[in-house]
Amino acid sequence: KESRSAESRSFTFTTGGTTAPQEKVTYLGVETGPVPRALAAHLGLPPDHGLTINAVAENSPAASVLRQHDVLVKFEDQVLVDSRQLSVL
């Protein structure tokens, strides 16, 4: 198992030039999807566990540590089962 780490970046976005509260958004720079069942079985993963890296944005925090087709199983103490998890962790 190879261990790599990525530093996330936080960005603040404003909308329409208003003075509405600003929201911080963490940007990792990956597109993920579910692990195909055949691959999960091959890797010994339970069904519906893990995320496959579909794409990594150039010059993103993830670009130096993740590659297309990598499989993410866990982030800290959270088992990854849905792509939306990365946006809130």
Side-chain angles (χ1 to χ4, degrees):
K1 294 182 178 179
E2 185 176 339
S3 177
R4 299 174 274 187
S5 65
E7 175 185 322
S8 64
R9 297 180 191 162
S10 291
F11 295 91
T12 302
F13 294 94
T14 57
T15 56
T18 65
T19 57
Q22 296 180 348
E23 178 182 352
K24 284 197 173 185
V25 177
T26 300
Y27 174 69
L28 187 57
V30 295
E31 177 188 311
T32 63
V35 177
R37 289 191 185 265
L39 179 58
H42 178 75
L43 295 174
L45 297 175
D48 302 320
H49 278 66
L51 299 173
T52 301
I53 301 294
N54 295 330
V56 180
E58 281 188 46
N59 302 315
S60 69
S64 64
V65 294
L66 295 175
R67 291 167 185 71
Q68 187 176 19
H69 307 298
D70 280 353
V71 174
L72 304 176
V73 178
K74 201 173 190 184
F75 180 78
E76 294 180 350
D77 64 339
Q78 292 281 323
V79 174
L80 298 173
V81 296
D82 188 291
S83 294
R84 293 173 289 184
Q85 283 179 275
L86 289 178
S87 66
V88 295
L89 294 176

